[in-house]
Amino acid sequence: MTSHPSPTTTPSDELRSAPHATRVLVLNSGSSSVKYQLLDMRDSGRLAVGLVERIGEESSRLVHTPLVGGVGAKRERTGPIADHAAALKAVAEELAVDGLGLDSPELAAIGHRVVHGGLKFTAPTVIDDAVLAEIERLVPVAPLHNPANLTGIRTAMELRPDLPQVAVFDTAFHTTMPESAARYAIDVETADAHRIRRYGFHGTSHAYVSRETARLLGRAPEEVNVIVLHLGNGASASAVRGGRCVDTSMGLTPLEGLVMGTRSGDIDPAVTFHLKRVAGMDEDEVDVLLNKKSGLVGLCGDNDMREIRRRIDEGDERAALAFDIYIHRLKKYIGAYYAVLGRVDAVAFTAGVGENAAPVREAAIAGLEELGLTVDAGLNAVRSGEARIISPASARVAVAVVPTDEELEIARQAFALVAPEHGEVNA
């Protein structure tokens, strides 16, 4: 097995950022898109944000928003962007217009979101050839994500070969799960030979939200047990004991767990065999069914919670059933993770649905009063971009809404690795 430098080891001198460099560019490279943010870690402020989409098409589009000194005028360019190399060069050009170019001596590192790190990567890691090889070796367990992440990394390394490039892995936060939670009950030799186990995803979000929840409670993360509910089009739950993940709902892939926008979540594996025998579906058709045509969209034709709630208000029974199934699964995981943790200090809702859908939060907690869980209707109804408690002051367990910030989490982890002399800057 290839050995890697310990992610927690101080990088060698050639990988250190310049002492005055405090900016981190965060890249999230998809198969046909690149999302990016430039942050200054002195105050965690955003200097620019943007998105390149439809890479490789004639209708490619780059939307760039400078944020220096407040929100600037959004700029947009359209037209063919051939590949990720061209996309990142276009991003560099837009940043340069604002005096934030990639050649700036203030740039400390480029942080890359990498979806799958397997068991090798348990922390942010400075990227070298061995790390690239290991990320590539994991492509079979993340065929839709790791190849795109690799493309973004290699392109950025070509643009700035002298700059530390840091991989921050979605799976890393979940590598603290005990074997009793991470292993499936299948033949051990088969599982080990094919790396079949529960890895979990959304790790940067769960790490950030669990820590911010502790901050909201005025306590250290090591003192707090939190159930984090990351509810977006993709959805996952985690049980976090003292800052360490001990269980999470997603598994080998992001399909397992909660009901999601288009994914089924937990399902009897024999359903796949049944569909092959009875419906004549092949592996690809079953894959598409469970990942893209199931979940809320499979149940009622919509995966937008706002639209589902509108339909429920109009008396739509299919929408109401889809919502009930969604909540039932969510409530089951809250109860299960309460049992896993033994003591719960807070339940934190985050991501698009978790942060904005008050009816989801209310329904998920309803009936759990015996567990010390309840929400205040007035507090729950308030719309805010700030982290907040929505349970009564007298509640035994806090219920919180904590906006996630995966880009900031990636930037913090990358900066702490390449500029350790700054210590816990804005952590």
Side-chain angles (χ1 to χ4, degrees):
M1 204 173 264
T2 308
S3 62
H4 301 292
S6 169
T8 56
T9 300
T10 301
S12 58
D13 289 340
E14 64 269 20
L15 292 178
R16 283 181 180 273
S17 62
H20 57 281
T22 59
R23 295 175 181 171
V24 176
L25 177 64
V26 176
L27 295 178
N28 182 353
S29 300
S31 58
S32 61
S33 68
V34 175
K35 297 178 184 177
Y36 63 93
Q37 292 194 13
L38 181 66
L39 299 94
D40 191 323
M41 301 316 296
R42 288 175 295 187
D43 60 2
S44 299
R46 284 166 174 76
L47 303 175
V49 301
L51 166 68
V52 188
E53 57 185 349
R54 298 193 291 273
I55 295 171
E57 300 180 20
E58 292 296 315
S59 58
S60 303
R61 177 171 174 258
L62 187 157
V63 179
H64 174 87
T65 304
L67 301 174
V68 181
V71 178
K74 182 182 295 184
R75 301 196 297 271
E76 183 174 329
R77 61 164 83 174
T78 57
I81 296 177
D83 51 29
H84 282 72
L88 284 184
K89 287 174 183 175
V91 170
E93 291 169 4
E94 292 297 333
L95 290 169
V97 170
D98 306 312
L100 304 170
L102 294 190
D103 58 350
S104 168
E106 295 184 65
L107 191 59
I110 298 179
H112 298 267
R113 179 198 180 211
V114 179
V115 167
H116 216 307
L119 295 180
K120 291 287 294 186
F121 300 111
T122 62
T125 304
V126 173
I127 300 168
D128 59 16
D129 289 343
V131 171
L132 283 172
E134 183 66 14
I135 295 172
E136 189 148 25
R137 194 179 75 85
L138 289 164
V139 165
V141 290
L144 299 179
H145 297 97
N146 274 30
N149 301 155
L150 281 165
T151 299
I153 291 169
R154 287 177 171 134
T155 302
M157 292 177 80
E158 290 173 5
L159 289 175
R160 281 299 306 269
D162 59 312
L163 196 67
Q165 310 271 340
V166 179
V168 178
F169 299 90
D170 275 11
T171 50
F173 184 63
H174 304 305
T175 58
T176 56
M177 283 192 295
E179 286 292 280
S180 56
R183 279 201 176 268
Y184 291 111
I186 65 172
D187 174 66
V188 171
E189 291 182 359
T190 301
D192 289 348
H194 300 286
R195 302 191 296 278
I196 298 172
R197 62 185 290 119
R198 302 184 62 250
Y199 293 100
F201 300 90
H202 295 148
T204 51
S205 178
H206 286 280
Y208 178 86
V209 171
S210 60
R211 189 172 59 248
E212 289 301 306
T213 301
R215 189 198 300 269
L216 190 62
L217 298 179
R219 299 168 66 182
E222 296 77 16
E223 301 172 353
V224 176
N225 291 355
V226 185
I227 297 172
V228 178
L229 304 171
H230 177 109
L231 308 179
N233 193 49
S236 59
S238 68
V240 183
R241 177 184 293 126
R244 294 167 61 86
C245 177
V246 295
D247 206 348
T248 192
S249 58
M250 287 179 168
L252 174 71
T253 76
L255 180 60
E256 186 180 354
L258 302 175
V259 174
M260 305 177 219
T262 65
R263 299 180 192 133
S264 65
D266 292 340
I267 192 168
D268 182 346
V271 169
T272 61
F273 313 142
H274 180 78
L275 289 172
K276 289 180 182 180
R277 286 193 302 263
V278 176
M281 297 175 70
D282 62 26
E283 290 87 349
D284 290 340
E285 289 173 316
V286 174
D287 191 314
V288 169
L289 172 69
L290 297 182
N291 279 288
K292 298 182 178 180
K293 296 182 178 180
S294 295
L296 292 171
V297 78
L299 290 167
C300 71
D302 271 308
N303 63 337
D304 187 321
M305 188 58 71
R306 294 165 297 187
E307 181 64 15
I308 290 171
R309 291 302 308 177
R310 184 194 66 76
R311 288 171 55 185
I312 291 172
D313 291 341
E314 294 178 353
D316 189 310
E317 293 183 1
R318 280 189 64 191
L321 178 59
F323 184 82
D324 288 346
I325 293 170
Y326 182 94
I327 295 298
H328 180 77
R329 185 80 55 83
L330 187 55
K331 199 184 296 278
K332 281 176 64 176
Y333 268 92
I334 294 172
Y337 286 171
Y338 205 120
V340 167
L341 291 170
R343 188 200 83 240
V344 175
D345 299 293
V347 174
F349 289 87
T350 194
V353 174
E355 293 169 28
N356 298 298
V360 169
R361 298 191 297 260
E362 179 183 9
I365 299 300
L368 301 181
E369 291 81 8
E370 290 297 318
L371 298 179
L373 287 162
T374 183
V375 298
D376 179 286
L379 294 174
N380 188 40
V382 172
R383 294 185 65 86
S384 171
E386 300 297 319
R388 59 202 185 275
I389 302 292
I390 60 170
S391 50
S394 59
R396 190 167 81 245
V397 179
V399 180
V401 180
V402 181
T404 192
D405 197 331
E406 294 173 90
E407 290 78 15
L408 177 56
E409 180 69 14
I410 291 170
R412 282 176 172 171
Q413 292 191 27
F415 189 65
L417 185 60
V418 303
E421 66 274 9
H422 287 280
E424 296 294 316
V425 172
N426 299 304

